[in-house]
């Protein structure tokens, strides 16, 4: 039994065929990527059974991309029609105030996702494209939307409300929505079992540090704060995004810098963060530059760590007592320097890393704090696709039981 997971972007579609019962560290049964949609040269990559096939061909739109990818899978005998696929899970970035739980997709649900486009003008249209194409190609399988914002839908108002004019905020649906919710939920749900606590008595901080980065404070299974906001631009310093900045910088860039709104959008989303300060956004390259005494790389790293520690400190206060701090995603799972520097010298707050455990290679969920650390520090690999696959399978099963 498998779920097909689709993550559709503006010029690419990622997909996986996953057994929802598999464990987080295992490879998906099939994974694929359709790239450069709408450009003269496109590419479809399929990974299965330790082999990788790449096909170079123009992909004019999402429909053709998924059609071709599915046909390639059919040739290998592993097409969606040839396998026992019980659900298709779609990653949808913005669920606004409408969706907190995964939703069985119907025409009215697609309409509601469409109404949320003003909140995610780059992401939701691409997600809808993926949904429409996949529903057309696989009409007999239940499709389920899983929202990046869903986990944070019920943040306490004090954490969700921005201190800007309430009327204007309401007219424009401005509030903190939070993102990476599937990952924060997946990782935070595993922590109590690993540290031997009841989920309803566990206070924790989750640090999702990938190319995008966010953190959350989770009290007894429910998030009470998170670093991303109305958009995924807020909070931590990221690979190419600036994270929190003084909003006055935007007026300054318009008035003094002569930039228009699209230029600023591009600047803060794609040309800032670690890349904006050092020229690279991959932490492996950043480390190599730091080792070569590159001053810009060192500055970028220090700004990144400083901001991360700010958030950790403020979430410790928000939670009052912290049982666990967990690192996840590409940087969090692999970069021992980031983990060490994020939590160095915090013994007086009960946080003490074990250098050897911290330096061990990434190999599944593990504790990296010292035995006498009051706060447990963990690395828990995230697997958003698996989480979406599981949610989609559950919704489809419930639907099947009702039908
Ligand atoms: P993600 O968005 O979770 O896929 O994370 C991607 C980022 O993880 C990359 O841009 C790198 O900065 C980082 N990353 C991946 N592998 C490593 C590694 N072995 N060491 C340090 N950083 C890594």
């Amino acid at each position: 039994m498998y779920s097909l997971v689709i993550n559709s972007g503006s010029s690419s579609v990622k997909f996986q065929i996953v057994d929802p019962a598999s464990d987080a560290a295992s490879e998906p049964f099939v994974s694929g990527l359709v790239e450069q949609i709408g450009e003269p040269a496109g590419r479809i990559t399929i990974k299965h059974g330790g082999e990788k096939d790449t096909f170079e061909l123009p992909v004019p739109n999402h429909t053709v991309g998924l059609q071709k990818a599915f046909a390639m899978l059919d040739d290998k005998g592993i097409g969606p029609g040839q396998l026992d696929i019980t659900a298709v899970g779609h990653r949808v970035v913005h669920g606004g105030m409408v969706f907190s739980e995964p939703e069985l997709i119907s025409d009215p649900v697609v309409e509601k996702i469409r109404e949320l486009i003003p909140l995610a003008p780059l992401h939701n249209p691409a997600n809808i494209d993926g949904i429409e194409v996949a529903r057309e190609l696989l009409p007999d399988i239940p499709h389920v939307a899983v929202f990046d914002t869903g986990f944070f839908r019920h943040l306490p108002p004090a954490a969700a409300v921005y201190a800007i004019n309430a009327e204007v905020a309401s007219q424009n649906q401005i509030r903190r929505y939070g993102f990476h919710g599937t990952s924060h939920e997946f990782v935070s749900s595993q922590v109590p079992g690993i540290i031997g606590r009841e989920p309803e008595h566990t206070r924790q901080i989750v640090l999702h540090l990938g190319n995008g980065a966010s953190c959350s404070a989770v009290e007894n299974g429910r998030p009470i704060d998170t670093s991303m906001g109305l958009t995924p631009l807020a909070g931590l310093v990221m690979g190419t995004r600036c994270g929190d900045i003084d909003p006055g910088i935007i007026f300054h860039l318009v008035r003094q810098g002569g930039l228009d709104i699209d230029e600023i959008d591009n600047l803060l989303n794609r040309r800032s963060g670690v890349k904006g300060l050092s020229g690279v956004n991959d932490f492996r390259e950043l480390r190599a530059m730091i080792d070569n005494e590159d001053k810009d790389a060192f500055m970028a790293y220090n700004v990144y760590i400083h901001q991360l520690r700010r958030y950790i400190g403020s979430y410790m206060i928000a939670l009052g007592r912290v049982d666990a701090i967990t690192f996840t995603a590409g940087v969090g799972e692999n970069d021992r320097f980031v983990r060490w520097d994020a939590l160095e010298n915090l013994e007086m707050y009960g946080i003490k890393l074990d250098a050897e455990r911290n330096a061990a290679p990434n190999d599944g969920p593990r504790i990296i704090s010292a035995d006498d650390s009051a706060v447990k520090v963990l690395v828990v690999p995230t697997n958003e696709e698996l989480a979406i696959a599981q949610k989609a399978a559950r919704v489809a099963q419930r639907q099947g039981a009702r039908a």
Side-chain angles (χ1 to χ4, degrees):
M1 232 175 61
Y2 295 100
S3 294
L4 169 65
V5 177
I6 293 183
N7 182 353
S8 177
S10 55
S11 65
S12 70
V13 183
K14 289 185 210 153
F15 60 89
Q16 288 193 1
I17 299 175
V18 189
D19 177 353
S22 59
D23 74 80
S26 61
E27 285 292 310
F29 181 66
V30 175
S31 67
L33 173 63
V34 183
E35 292 174 274
Q36 289 162 296
I37 297 174
E39 291 177 31
R43 186 182 309 125
I44 299 179
T45 310
I46 289 171
K47 286 192 204 164
H48 167 64
E51 281 180 20
K52 178 171 150 181
D53 293 308
T54 304
F55 307 88
E56 308 276 347
L57 75 175
V59 182
N61 53 44
H62 290 69
T63 309
V64 173
L66 268 190
Q67 253 170 355
K68 293 233 164 76
F70 288 174
M72 288 166 189
L73 293 176
D74 283 341
D75 288 344
K76 291 172 173 288
I78 49 169
Q82 295 159 316
L83 299 170
D84 180 20
I85 292 185
T86 57
V88 184
H90 294 268
R91 176 176 182 225
V92 179
V93 166
H94 221 303
M97 292 295 279
V98 183
F99 298 106
S100 54
E101 295 300 322
E103 192 81 23
L104 187 71
I105 295 174
S106 59
D107 291 342
V109 167
V110 175
E111 270 326 294
K112 282 189 195 153
I113 299 172
R114 205 183 297 284
E115 284 165 19
L116 294 167
I117 286 176
L119 287 172
L122 300 179
H123 293 105
N124 274 27
N127 301 155
I128 293 169
D129 280 347
I131 289 171
E132 290 187 328
V133 172
R135 284 178 85 199
E136 220 172 275
L137 295 178
L138 304 168
D140 300 324
I141 304 176
H143 291 248
V144 177
V146 179
F147 299 91
D148 240 29
T149 51
F151 185 52
F152 300 116
R153 164 70 183 79
H154 298 290
L155 277 181
V161 172
Y162 288 111
I164 65 173
N165 183 281
E167 202 180 316
V168 174
S170 159
Q171 277 163 2
N172 293 281
Q173 297 175 278
I174 292 174
R175 56 172 273 136
R176 182 184 303 280
Y177 292 96
F179 297 86
H180 291 151
T182 308
S183 175
H184 285 277
E185 184 178 11
F186 181 77
V187 169
S188 64
S189 69
Q190 292 187 45
V191 168
I194 300 169
I195 63 170
R197 291 189 69 90
E198 295 297 319
E200 56 276 15
H201 294 110
T202 305
R203 300 185 186 196
Q204 50 175 319
I205 297 173
V206 176
L207 307 168
H208 176 112
L209 310 178
N211 204 20
S214 61
C215 55
S216 64
V218 180
E219 186 178 277
N220 310 335
R222 294 174 73 97
I224 61 160
D225 208 349
T226 192
S227 59
M228 285 178 166
L230 172 78
T231 73
L233 183 55
L236 301 174
V237 174
M238 307 181 215
T240 65
R241 287 175 242 164
C242 59
D244 290 346
I245 57 167
D246 174 357
I249 291 171
I250 296 171
F251 315 137
H252 183 77
L253 286 171
V254 173
R255 295 191 183 117
Q256 308 301 324
L259 272 67
D260 70 25
I261 206 69
D262 290 327
E263 287 168 331
I264 296 174
D265 192 327
N266 186 45
L267 173 78
L268 301 183
N269 272 297
R270 293 187 193 83
R271 296 171 49 215
S272 295
V274 171
K275 182 168 190 171
L277 294 175
S278 71
V280 300
N281 60 299
D282 191 303
F283 271 66
R284 289 161 287 199
E285 290 176 56
L286 190 72
R287 179 57 47 192
M289 287 166 71
I290 292 171
D291 290 345
N292 284 326
E293 296 182 11
D294 184 294
K295 286 196 175 57
D296 295 339
F298 192 56
M299 173 63 75
Y301 183 75
N302 286 342
V303 171
Y304 180 92
I305 295 291
H306 187 78
Q307 179 79 332
L308 187 53
R309 288 174 68 97
R310 265 188 191 138
Y311 265 95
I312 294 168
S314 68
Y315 285 1
M316 283 168 64
I317 298 297
L319 287 164
R321 182 199 80 229
V322 183
D323 302 306
I325 299 177
T326 304
F327 290 89
T328 193
V331 177
E333 290 167 30
N334 294 296
D335 197 320
R336 66 193 155 104
F337 300 101
V338 166
R339 294 194 297 257
W340 187 266
D341 293 331
L343 298 178
E344 200 187 13
N345 284 334
L346 299 178
E347 283 86 354
M348 75 171 277
Y349 300 99
I351 301 171
K352 197 167 148 195
L353 279 184
D354 179 290
E356 208 171 301
R357 290 176 187 166
N358 181 49
N362 189 18
D363 182 25
R366 60 199 186 274
I367 295 177
I368 57 169
S369 45
D371 290 339
D372 60 347
S373 181
V375 179
K376 303 296 169 218
V377 183
L378 297 87
V379 177
V380 174
T382 192
N383 190 333
E384 286 168 285
E385 289 77 15
L386 175 64
I388 293 172
Q390 291 170 345
K391 283 169 181 285
R394 269 199 299 273
V395 171
Q397 199 178 19
R398 271 206 303 271
Q399 177 63 18
R402 246 184 249 132

